[in-house]
Amino acid sequence: MTTRIDADLIEDPYPFQAHMGYELTGWSEDYSRFEMPIRRFIENRYGIPHGGIYGVLLDTVMGFAGCYTGDPEQRRFAMTLSMNVNFLSRPKGKRLTAEGWRKGGGRSTFFAEGRVTDDTGEVLATGTGVFRYRRTG
């Protein structure tokens, strides 16, 4: 799925995001996508991305999938209540892509699914999560 993102919706990366190097590359109602290069400092002692990297990407992408408003003045935030990660493979490429989909929910909580692939199409990890919308202010 290719989703163009409105440049007005892109927020400045927070310090952790900037350090890790992942960026928002797609965002629309019930969907988000982040991409990240594979760099040496995210790898474990086996020379592959540490499993926590997949957790970070899945947590982020699933949370964003439920928070799209289409209006940069009306930002929505969520916090993770529960998350499961399944590790399926190791990357063959040089870039990670995480996609997330809001699958349901209500006024205060939502459910999401996510997937991390590499630039060869290899599915590396999947996840599910439950998120609570945060009140602003």
Side-chain angles (χ1 to χ4, degrees):
M1 168 184 241
T2 302
T3 303
R4 293 193 67 191
I5 185 168
D6 182 341
D8 291 337
L9 298 177
I10 298 175
E11 302 167 8
D12 290 335
Y14 47 93
F16 178 75
Q17 177 187 358
H19 173 71
M20 298 306 291
Y22 57 93
E23 61 183 351
L24 180 66
T25 58
W27 201 17
S28 58
E29 189 163 349
D30 299 333
Y31 173 80
S32 74
R33 182 181 63 243
F34 279 79
E35 295 182 42
M36 173 183 193
I38 297 174
R39 295 183 290 180
R40 179 68 188 121
F41 79 91
I42 69 166
E43 294 176 347
N44 62 21
R45 57 196 280 210
Y46 302 112
I48 60 174
H50 187 283
I53 298 302
Y54 303 125
V56 165
L57 288 172
L58 287 165
D59 188 29
T60 302
V61 78
M62 290 187 295
F64 264 74
C67 291
Y68 181 82
T69 66
D71 182 352
E73 301 300 318
Q74 298 293 319
R75 297 189 319 162
R76 183 184 297 162
F77 299 93
M79 62 183 182
T80 310
L81 298 177
S82 174
M83 186 174 78
N84 294 298
V85 178
N86 303 298
F87 303 99
L88 305 174
S89 188
R90 58 185 178 184
K92 298 174 182 169
K94 299 195 180 304
R95 188 165 188 81
L96 302 176
T97 299
E99 293 180 284
W101 298 269
R102 180 184 178 277
K103 300 309 262 183
R107 193 179 342 209
S108 62
T109 60
F110 68 92
F111 307 95
E113 294 178 357
R115 170 180 72 207
V116 180
T117 59
D118 71 6
D119 48 322
T120 72
E122 184 79 10
V123 179
L124 308 172
T126 61
T128 58
V130 181
F131 300 81
R132 173 170 289 177
Y133 290 113
R134 294 193 63 151
R135 297 176 202 249
T136 56

